[in-house]
Amino acid sequence: MLCAVGALFPTASAGAKEPLTVVYWSARDCRWCTWWEGSIIGSGGEAKFLASAEGKAVRYVVIKKPRLAAPFAEEDFKPDQRWLWPRVKNETDGKIKGYPSFSVYEGEKFVAYALGEDEVDGKLLPAIRAWMKRP
């Protein structure tokens, strides 16, 4: 799996690597998002991730819509997140398939998508680790 993720990144000869951003897609009424965010006893994947080497290596952005049933709207994005709005609106990087989920970007280039906490270990972390290994 790591080889497939590593293939998503350009080689070092292509120039300096761009910063890596992890976008956390959420909704205020999402019970699984609450679990990720750690407001339920025994949860807290977000804090564990942010304290890890991988979490410290990336810019972590939270985009939270008011309700699961509502689509994302432009006002859900803070000014420094506006570059993501047209990508979500037009599904440029694919459809957000559920919550919580995560998109990984090198600069503004889409790299990986992980749905739910189950895919953090299998998709999100390997993408970050591959980026961290690059010069």
Side-chain angles (χ1 to χ4, degrees):
M1 176 68 183
L2 188 57
C3 292
V5 172
L8 294 172
F9 296 99
T11 61
S13 63
K17 65 182 178 182
E18 294 279 336
L20 206 65
T21 300
V22 172
V23 180
Y24 163 50
W25 304 104
S26 179
R28 284 179 176 58
D29 63 347
C30 170
R31 69 182 176 133
W32 297 114
C33 299
T34 303
W35 182 265
W36 169 254
E37 293 163 13
S39 49
I40 299 172
I41 294 172
S43 62
E46 182 178 53
K48 292 172 194 165
F49 168 71
L50 292 173
S52 71
E54 294 84 358
K56 290 176 181 176
V58 302
R59 177 177 166 238
Y60 186 73
V61 173
V62 176
I63 302 182
K64 191 174 283 203
K65 61 185 181 170
R67 294 179 327 279
L68 280 169
F72 276 104
E74 190 169 2
E75 57 268 13
D76 297 327
F77 297 78
K78 295 176 184 169
D80 66 328
Q81 302 168 342
R82 296 275 185 204
W83 64 276
L84 289 160
W85 166 239
R87 299 175 84 122
V88 171
K89 184 173 109 177
N90 300 326
E91 297 182 355
T92 305
D93 305 319
K95 187 175 181 74
I96 297 170
K97 299 173 185 124
Y99 305 93
S101 61
F102 310 87
S103 293
V104 181
Y105 294 90
E106 184 174 8
E108 292 187 11
K109 179 183 178 239
F110 177 74
V111 174
Y113 177 80
L115 173 60
E117 200 165 349
D118 290 345
E119 290 190 357
V120 168
D121 288 335
K123 292 185 178 179
L124 180 70
L125 294 178
I128 296 169
R129 289 175 186 144
W131 175 84
M132 289 171 69
K133 288 180 182 177
R134 289 189 25 238

